[in-house]
Amino acid sequence: MKATFCTRREFCALFLFLTVFVLISVLHHMDILEFQPKFNSTIIMPRVSTHPNEIRSFCTFQPLSSEDALEERLILDSTAWPETPLLPAPISLEQTSDPAHSTFTILPGRKGGEWHVGDQLEVMIQTSDFQGRPKKSGGDFLLASLHNRKLEAGVAGQVVDHLNGSYSAVFSLLWEGDAQVEMILVHPGEAISVLKRMNREQPDRMYFTSLFRSGSRSETTHCNVCLRPTQPLCNYTDLRTGEPWFCYKPKKLSCDARISHSRAGYKANPLNANEEKLFQSGVNMKVSIQASGPSNVTVLPKQEGQLKVKSSTVTSAPSGYYYQGVWRALGGTTVREFSASAISRCLKGKVVHMYGDSTIRQWFEFFDATLPGLKKFDLHSARKFGPHMSLDYANNILVTYRCHGPPIRFAVPTRELRYVANELDDLGGGNNIVVVLGIWSHLGSFPMEIYIRRLQSIRRAVVGLLDRAPGTLVIIRTANSKALTLYETITNSDWYSLQRDKVLRAMFKGLNVHLIDAWEMNLAHHLPHNLHPPPPIIRNMINHLLSYICPQNGG
């Protein structure tokens, strides 16, 4: 009996040990599973780049198809910015480009000092450092425009970097009368080097948070598209698009308990004190360059039989220009002016879906404020992120707006975080459907690969939409320049916007979509640059949009 009892006791102990072991294993397994992504169970390893101009990054990238990978490489190469020689540490302004010592000169026209409508005006810019010495390298970011305030006329110039400290700006002469040249140094090349480095090394300098809640317990953790793996992560990579998004896992709550997304801010002092010298308003950031001689020309009427002279410096022409305050496109559709009643007639029977950032929401708000019959339906959503919906019942007009998915700098309930590509995939399309897209402003502080892949997924969705519903009209708003402070520069400099503008144009080139060139429409106008352009520019953008929806010789 004793032996039997001993055997049973040992068996019970063994059984108890195995039970505890299995329970611990199950709990451990459950804990591991909790860290796994709800939306994508694939483990994604950080990519080690083979590109010579990149460094190792903690950003996570989904593997690309060979075709998409080739396109990414070609786009990165085509948008590469000229390198600027490294400055010795600590950085000194003395050797960097100084707009106060730099000058521009109007070059003689084909008939000496005479220019006619249809000619091209060429300007030579020579940059110099803070000691007045001519620069020997390129890489500065310059903006050029031509204006006549009385005529409310303006056009953007095309800038060419000769990589030796000199630059050319070429303008199409499109109106009679005075034409005033404006040259702006946005950033010296040395500052561009810092901006590029920040996106490689500090893509998380703009950071976000999410609130997790279950019952009475709540926690807040940091989130980002690029998140340093210093602690367990919740992986919210989208299954359909492959768009990455991560949050640090709450200590006491599940990854499934996430209820909201918001911008938390940006890391203090992403620049050291010496680097900050490169970003000084009124000194070397968005400062005008003065002329060494006359800064304006008088444009005479076009002559009969006048030969068209093309510049050997630039190959592209402006997309349009302002005259008497009205935007005149030089390609595509003829832009017409629309009154409120004309807008209602144009949009009658149509559905306009708008997706993107606040610059697209600005268009939605224009329609909402302008059309008396358009009434906003209360979806109990916040103004910034939406979704929003307005209906003109009498004219059967529906206009909607939804913000794009993260990264986005709004406070948004997670249930409203939608990727544009998924929204387009779920859209039926048709002859009465208009899709308006604008995605650029919130992605400036991240590596360009993030933006390229976002556009690749949106483009696939656009192609699919046009395949199943060819009559759908797709219109894309480009980026635009804005006023710059140190904060704005660190998070979304005009240089970041320009680079993304180039990528967007390359990505959608050749597709049956239409671009609203917000970059040139903002630059060509005499009003100050603004992330959200002022009403006169917005009205011209809306007129351009409507001219695509209701072309002059169309329906």
Side-chain angles (χ1 to χ4, degrees), residues 99 122 311 426 439:
E122 188 162 357
S311 169
D426 295 336
I439 301 98

Side-chain angles (χ1 to χ4, degrees), residues 475-490:
I475 300 170
I476 302 175
R477 182 199 193 280
T478 72
N480 62 261
S481 55
K482 61 181 182 178
L484 292 182
T485 62
L486 180 60
Y487 164 77
E488 292 291 347
T489 299
I490 290 170

Side-chain angles (χ1 to χ4, degrees), residues 25 38 51 69 73 97 138 219 241 293 312 336 338 341 352 369 377 382 418 449 455 479 510 550:
S25 298
K38 177 184 177 184
H51 196 284
R73 176 59 54 84
S97 299
E219 295 182 56
T241 64
S312 59
R336 297 184 291 135
F338 289 78
S341 58
V352 182
F377 189 83
R418 312 282 181 85
E449 291 91 338
L455 292 189
C550 301

Side-chain angles (χ1 to χ4, degrees), residues 357-362 365 383 410 440-442 477 480-483 522 528-535 537-538 541:
D357 53 38
S358 58
T359 63
I360 287 294
R361 188 189 69 232
Q362 195 177 12
E365 291 171 345
R383 170 182 171 265
F410 303 152
W440 59 277
S441 179
H442 295 245
R477 182 199 193 280
N480 62 261
S481 55
K482 61 181 182 178
N522 208 44
H529 300 172
N530 195 314
L531 172 64
H532 300 107
I537 299 177
I538 292 299
M541 290 179 176

